[in-house]
């Protein structure tokens, strides 16, 4: 009986050792995964968030430039209307001058 108990204790010892080795291996994997997650978080915070901020700033700059272009387009349209009106007045003045020369 003592031999049987001794064999069982030895078998249990081997199983406990095996379980302990597996737990140690799992701890190492978890530590590795934790390191990878930390690196990913750091990358996200330092690189991705910075790039997103740069994109937002760039978008704001582009938005301001588009507003300036819209204002410029409105100004050009106003100038075109003025030029068209001046051309019409100039044509009328030229026609009036021709008629005055003929009337002399």
């Amino acid at each position: 009986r003592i031999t049987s108990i001794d064999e069982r204790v030895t078998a249990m010892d081997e199983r406990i050792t095996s379980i302990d080795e597996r737990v140690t291996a799992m701890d190492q994997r978890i530590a590795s995964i934790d390191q990878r997650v930390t690196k990913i978080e750091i990358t996200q915070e330092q690189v991705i968030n910075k790039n997103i901020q740069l994109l937002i700033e760039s978008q704001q700059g582009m938005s301001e430039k588009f507003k300036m272009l819209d204002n410029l387009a409105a100004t050009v349209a106003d100038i075109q209307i003025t030029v068209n009106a001046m051309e019409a007045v100039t044509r009328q003045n030229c026609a009036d001058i021709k008629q005055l020369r003929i009337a002399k």
Side-chain angles (χ1 to χ4, degrees):
R1 287 187 141 190
I2 292 180
T3 306
S4 174
I5 292 173
D6 191 37
E7 288 173 356
R8 287 182 181 175
V9 169
T10 302
M12 286 174 33
D13 249 0
E14 289 173 359
R15 286 183 191 165
I16 289 172
T17 301
S18 173
I19 291 171
D20 191 36
E21 289 172 356
R22 284 192 264 165
V23 168
T24 301
M26 286 189 327
D27 282 346
Q28 290 172 347
R29 284 190 211 145
I30 289 171
S32 173
I33 291 169
D34 190 42
Q35 288 175 352
R36 290 174 58 199
V37 168
T38 301
K39 286 180 183 180
I40 291 168
E41 288 172 341
I42 290 170
T43 299
Q44 179 183 2
E45 289 175 10
Q46 293 180 350
V47 176
I48 295 172
N49 289 347
K50 184 177 181 179
N51 288 343
I52 289 171
Q53 183 62 35
L54 289 173
L55 284 172
I56 290 170
E57 290 172 6
S58 175
Q59 179 63 31
Q60 289 171 343
M62 292 297 291
S63 179
E64 291 174 12
K65 288 180 182 180
F66 282 130
K67 285 179 187 176
M68 290 173 54
L69 285 174
D70 289 342
N71 291 337
L72 183 61
T75 301
V76 168
D78 290 343
I79 291 170
Q80 186 63 46
I81 290 169
T82 302
V83 167
N84 290 341
M86 291 175 74
E87 286 177 344
V89 169
T90 301
R91 280 192 210 103
Q92 184 62 44
N93 286 343
C94 286
D96 291 345
I97 290 170
K98 282 183 184 179
Q99 284 182 355
L100 287 173
R101 283 189 185 161
I102 294 173
K104 271 188 165 181

